[in-house]
Amino acid sequence: MNKISVFGLIFLLLLLPVGFAELFNNYTPLIWDLSTCNNNGTCDSGEDKCTCSGDCGTCSGDVQGDVCKEYSCLTGLCRAQIKYYCCGNNICESGEDFANCDSDCAPTTITIELLEPADSNIFLRGDEITFKAKVKADGVTARNANVRVKTFAGDIPMYDDGNHLDGKEHDGVYGVSFLVSELTVKADYASEIYAEKLGVSAVKNFIVKVNPSLDLNFEIDKNNFVLGEIINFNGRLFKRGKPISTVITVSALNKGIKILENKTKSDENGFFSLEQRTSLIYPEGNWILRVSGADSFDNEGLKEKNIIVSRETGTIFMDVTFSDYEKLYGRGQEIKLLVDILFDEKPVEDADVIALFPDGKEVDLRMVSNGKYSLSYLIPFDFPLGEQKILINARKTIGSIKYGGSNELTITVDNAKIIPVLLEPKKETAALGEELKFKLKFSYENGKPLNKAKVSIKINDKNIFAAEKEQGVFYFSYVVNNEDLSEARQLLLNVKASDAFGNSITFTKLFEVTGELTLEYYFRENPLLFLSVIFAFVFIIVVIIVIRKRMDRLSSLKKRKKDLEKLKSDLQEKYFNLGAVGNEQYYSLLSQYSSELRDIDSAIESFKKTQETEGIKDVEDEEVFGERKKVEDSFDDKELESMFKVKDGKKQNTFKVQGDEEIPGLFSMPKKAKETEKKSEEQPEKKENETHLKKAV
């Protein structure tokens, strides 16, 4: 038997007495009343509104919430029936038509007036399109009609509830709105609005124009260039007349082949500028300069210009050569390169050597020895992936003579290496019902945390939400449940992580699932049962403690009673048989003992009544009360009579105590006690005589 069954059994056992008590307390015998209509003013069993209206009332009146239904005894039973000649009973009756009862009668014609969008509207991706149409049937407002718009986004219902840009509720104007998706291509989309009321329908056709284009303009300083010169780009980007800030891509093509590409960014006012250096190794001829920029919804601005590029006359070429270099890199790694600049196979010193990278960066090479120039460049995490070309330009002017040379090297750039580290949990096992708390850290190879990380986490194909509380550090938790106890008995953690630049990694981890059940699992699965068991347990403990304290108190009273009875017995023994106690001392102690015994008896009697009320029987209590009876019986009337006995018609000796009240001879000393007292009085006198005699001698 598992723990759940045990807890359930305990809970049932606790509730069983209460249930039976309530059952017997509330039980009443079942009486079958087969009376008929007796017109006694009371609707008895067997009577109803159809058989005994005098006692039960009449079966009539409208059904609440439905004015076209009324109660009647048409079938012999008081039931709701359709009310005829009532607008709303779904029957088009004589005198009704769509104009005066559109809920029952179908129209003959339906007309649709397109209110939005206007024919002149052109939409961008991300724009909200509102479709609004006024629908009439037989010339009156068509309420509660089935109206839909069919367009590039699908078949979408339209509403007349006042909550969908449709005006007021039930005014016959239907509306709906949605955003143009980023995937929507430029086109004129044929669309229609369909309206139907009680089987009569109509269609309104129209065109929705989507043109995801931005307004982009740029200028260059001239239209003819010489290889090696710099092309200056200046431009501005707008979206419906408002400037936007975004990435601007600049490229050049020759005969359809891309020669170069560079990127910059427009500012908050939409302005952008770029200086693009040309290389001597680029082909001459007609170039197409292309500048583009897109917003977050992939609306794109694009502009092209044609230029003519030629080689400069009089330039003497130098050789630009490379030593062996690494051809495969990852984002975040460093490119190190040594370049030789030669003229007529002799090293050239103090040349201007520049490396041009595909991401638009220009890096100066430093001369490290005669004719040798060093390149060191850390590949950024947003560097273009795949095969990339790096252009090396070298120039030097001596007097009026210009020297120049170019060369390019090809490298392959892969995603940056992302290193995942599972910080928590440390263990690789999990129990059923256990909550596993995860802490997962992602960083680059150089130790820097992942930039603007995005993670997708699944555990046994269940999507898990993770919170990034620190940069690159994610926290999430998972509770192992019964579904995880498959044949494999494993948890498969599958994590996909990426940064803002598209670098990504997939990480997996297996955890073994055990069948052990935890208290945490019971509490999570059955919180009410668990709390009930805890409450019952605490209640029982409290009751036990209270009863125990009461029993300890009762035991203490019983013990004190026995002690007092023993003291009382000893006092009587000393007074009556030994004469060792005087009248006054005997009375005082006896009064004290008797008073305390009465208090104890009263307390014990109270405990006994409480126990009887609660159904508790104490054997020891019966024994104590039995002993008390024996003690009371042992102190019989003869003893009392002897204590109050009158000799020769004369009252025995008395003495006064509290309030000068005379106390009868009950408390006078017995004969033996008197003799002892007399001897004690004579002894001082005898001692005094002996003292005088000794002095005389």
Side-chain angles (χ1 to χ4, degrees):
M1 182 181 293
N2 57 29
K3 296 182 180 179
I4 295 178
S5 301
V6 173
F7 288 148
L9 184 58
I10 292 173
F11 185 68
L12 289 175
L13 289 175
L14 290 172
L15 291 183
L16 215 55
V18 178
F20 278 116
E22 289 296 321
L23 179 63
F24 288 115
N25 286 337
N26 298 325
Y27 173 74
T28 54
L30 181 63
I31 300 175
W32 293 96
D33 189 353
L34 301 176
S35 62
T36 59
C37 182
N38 50 22
N39 293 314
N40 62 355
T42 302
C43 190
D44 301 316
S45 176
E47 298 177 347
D48 58 36
K49 293 182 178 181
C50 292
T51 61
C52 194
S53 60
D55 291 348
C56 300
T58 59
C59 179
S60 63
D62 293 338
V63 176
Q64 185 176 3
D66 193 343
V67 296
C68 286
K69 283 188 178 180
E70 60 184 357
Y71 291 105
S72 72
C73 296
L74 187 64
T75 61
L77 297 174
C78 187
R79 295 289 184 267
Q81 306 291 336
I82 294 176
K83 184 190 294 186
Y84 293 98
Y85 297 101
C86 174
C87 182
N89 62 5
N90 296 321
I91 303 173
C92 190
E93 297 163 307
S94 176
E96 293 180 346
D97 57 24
F98 185 81
N100 59 29
C101 188
D102 60 358
S103 60
D104 293 349
C105 300
T108 56
T109 60
I110 288 181
T111 58
I112 302 173
E113 180 185 356
L114 180 64
L115 303 179
E116 292 184 32
D119 291 339
S120 59
N121 288 145
I122 299 177
F123 297 97
L124 300 173
R125 294 170 181 149
D127 280 351
E128 182 179 30
I129 300 182
T130 298
F131 294 92
K132 187 186 296 185
K134 189 170 186 178
V135 180
K136 290 186 176 182
D138 289 349
V140 298
T141 299
R143 295 187 297 268
N144 301 318
N146 175 23
V147 183
R148 315 180 69 83
V149 58
K150 299 178 181 180
T151 184
F152 59 87
D155 188 349
I156 304 171
M158 299 176 69
Y159 303 90
D160 183 16
D161 57 3
N163 298 319
H164 291 80
L165 302 176
D166 55 299
K168 297 180 180 180
E169 183 180 9
H170 300 317
D171 61 354
V173 177
Y174 293 78
V176 73
S177 62
F178 59 84
L179 297 180
V180 180
S181 167
E182 300 174 11
L183 303 178
T184 307
V185 299
K186 178 182 178 181
D188 292 344
Y189 292 94
S191 306
E192 68 176 38
I193 289 180
Y194 168 84
E196 179 268 337
K197 177 69 176 178
L198 297 177
V200 180
S201 62
V203 173
K204 176 69 174 180
N205 296 305
F206 58 99
I207 299 295
V208 176
K209 300 177 181 179
V210 177
N211 184 6
S213 300
L214 304 178
D215 299 322
L216 186 147
N217 292 296
F218 76 93
E219 298 293 337
I220 52 177
D221 48 358
K222 56 183 179 180
N223 295 324
N224 293 281
F225 292 88
V226 176
L227 289 175
E229 287 185 330
I230 296 175
I231 305 175
N232 293 302
F233 294 84
N234 291 282
R236 199 175 186 188
L237 182 63
F238 294 91
K239 180 178 182 179
R240 288 207 175 98
K242 295 182 179 180
I244 61 172
S245 176
T246 187
V247 175
I248 304 296
T249 301
V250 176
S251 59
L253 295 88
N254 177 253
K255 298 180 180 179
I257 300 174
K258 185 184 292 185
I259 302 170
L260 59 88
E261 183 178 272
N262 208 340
K263 294 181 185 295
T264 186
K265 188 174 183 180
S266 59
D267 61 19
E268 60 183 6
N269 294 315
F271 291 104
F272 63 88
S273 61
L274 178 69
E275 293 182 352
Q276 177 64 53
R277 184 186 295 275
T278 60
S279 171
L280 297 178
I281 64 170
Y282 289 161
E284 57 183 332
N286 293 322
W287 287 16
I288 298 175
L289 300 181
R290 179 179 294 168
V291 179
S292 63
D295 64 4
S296 58
F297 295 101
D298 280 342
N299 296 300
E300 185 181 31
L302 177 65
K303 194 76 171 181
E304 294 181 347
K305 287 184 180 292
N306 294 317
I307 62 172
I308 298 174
V309 180
S310 59
R311 293 184 180 275
E312 184 180 13
T313 59
T315 301
I316 301 175
F317 286 92
M318 297 185 297
D319 294 325
V320 179
T321 61
F322 314 123
S323 57
D324 292 336
Y325 63 92
E326 185 70 33
K327 294 180 175 59
L328 180 62
Y329 293 91
R331 287 171 168 174
Q333 293 183 336
E334 186 178 18
I335 298 176
K336 291 186 176 181
L337 182 68
L338 196 62
V339 179
D340 291 314
I341 307 298
L342 304 173
F343 176 71
D344 197 16
E345 298 184 356
K346 294 179 181 179
V348 177
E349 297 180 353
D350 301 325
D352 295 326
V353 184
I354 297 175
L356 303 176
F357 289 88
D359 60 350
K361 297 292 190 304
E362 294 185 5
V363 180
D364 293 327
L365 277 67
R366 180 174 57 89
M367 189 177 72
V368 294
S369 63
N370 190 17
K372 293 186 179 293
Y373 297 81
S374 175
L375 170 65
S376 179
Y377 179 69
L378 185 65
I379 301 177
F381 293 112
D382 59 348
F383 196 86
L385 297 175
E387 187 176 286
Q388 304 294 332
K389 295 185 181 299
I390 302 174
L391 180 64
I392 307 295
N393 274 346
R395 299 179 69 87
K396 184 174 181 179
T397 302
I398 302 177
S400 60
I401 302 175
K402 295 180 179 180
Y403 297 86
S406 299
N407 201 351
E408 64 181 13
L409 56 97
T410 302
I411 63 172
T412 300
V413 179
D414 201 355
N415 277 317
K417 187 176 182 181
I418 299 175
I419 301 175
V421 179
L422 184 62
L423 301 177
E424 293 178 9
K426 301 292 185 183
K427 61 180 184 178
E428 296 184 353
T429 60
L432 180 62
E434 180 180 1
E435 182 179 12
L436 294 176
K437 295 185 177 180
F438 293 85
K439 182 179 180 181
L440 191 56
K441 179 181 179 181
F442 295 94
S443 60
Y444 295 109
E445 195 173 10
N446 58 8
K448 292 183 179 181
L450 208 61
N451 186 12
K452 297 181 180 179
K454 294 181 181 179
V455 297
S456 172
I457 300 173
K458 288 187 176 182
I459 297 181
N460 284 0
D461 292 329
K462 300 173 186 175
N463 292 317
I464 306 297
F465 171 76
E468 186 178 11
K469 297 182 179 179
E470 309 165 38
Q471 186 176 356
V473 182
F474 291 83
Y475 294 79
F476 57 97
S477 61
Y478 182 78
V479 178
V480 183
N481 54 50
N482 291 320
E483 296 179 3
D484 300 316
L485 284 176
S486 58
E487 295 182 2
R489 301 179 73 88
Q490 290 179 333
L491 289 180
L492 175 60
L493 172 64
N494 191 315
V495 182
K496 294 180 180 179
S498 61
D499 62 6
F501 314 114
N503 303 298
S504 62
I505 190 173
T506 299
F507 169 75
T508 58
K509 177 75 175 179
L510 279 175
F511 295 87
E512 182 182 354
V513 178
T514 65
E516 299 176 0
L517 297 177
T518 63
L519 288 177
E520 184 182 8
Y521 172 77
Y522 289 120
F523 184 75
R524 187 178 292 104
E525 291 295 319
N526 302 283
L528 294 178
L529 177 61
F530 200 87
L531 291 174
S532 300
V533 171
I534 293 176
F535 175 78
F537 179 75
V538 173
F539 177 76
I540 292 172
I541 295 298
V542 171
V543 170
I544 291 174
I545 292 173
V546 171
I547 293 175
R548 181 63 183 173
K549 286 185 176 180
R550 289 170 57 184
M551 296 305 296
D552 290 345
R553 172 64 178 160
L554 182 60
S555 176
S556 176
L557 289 172
K558 292 176 180 178
K559 183 177 182 303
R560 179 59 180 164
K561 179 177 179 179
K562 290 180 180 179
D563 292 343
L564 288 172
E565 289 174 344
K566 180 69 170 58
L567 289 172
K568 182 177 177 181
S569 177
D570 291 346
L571 179 63
Q572 292 173 345
E573 175 68 22
K574 290 178 182 179
Y575 179 76
F576 290 108
N577 298 331
L578 301 178
V581 178
N583 268 358
E584 187 173 355
Q585 185 180 6
Y586 174 75
Y587 168 73
S588 177
L589 291 175
L590 184 64
S591 176
Q592 178 183 340
Y593 295 160
S594 298
S595 176
E596 191 173 350
L597 279 170
R598 283 194 298 271
D599 293 340
I600 291 175
D601 286 341
S602 177
I604 291 176
E605 187 65 24
S606 177
F607 272 113
K608 184 178 180 182
K609 289 181 179 179
T610 303
Q611 289 175 331
E612 289 175 354
T613 302
E614 296 177 356
I616 303 174
K617 189 174 182 181
D618 190 355
V619 177
E620 183 181 358
D621 184 51
E622 291 182 355
E623 293 177 355
V624 170
F625 281 97
E627 290 178 4
R628 183 183 69 183
K629 187 171 184 353
K630 290 178 182 178
V631 172
E632 291 175 351
D633 292 344
S634 65
F635 196 69
D636 55 14
D637 294 337
K638 291 182 179 180
E639 184 178 354
L640 291 173
E641 184 181 349
S642 64
M643 296 169 66
F644 287 94
K645 184 166 63 179
V646 178
K647 248 185 207 180
D648 301 330
K650 295 181 180 180
K651 185 163 61 172
Q652 287 187 337
N653 297 333
T654 63
F655 63 95
K656 292 185 178 181
V657 290
Q658 304 168 352
D660 295 332
E661 180 185 359
E662 290 187 352
I663 305 302
L666 168 66
F667 302 107
S668 55
M669 298 179 79
K671 182 178 181 180
K672 187 174 183 180
K674 287 183 177 180
E675 292 175 354
T676 303
E677 184 177 349
K678 185 176 181 181
K679 287 181 181 180
S680 63
E681 291 175 353
E682 292 175 352
Q683 282 180 356
E685 184 178 352
K686 184 178 180 181
K687 287 183 180 180
E688 185 178 356
N689 293 335
E690 289 178 354
T691 303
H692 288 297
L693 182 61
K694 287 181 181 180
K695 287 183 179 180
V697 174

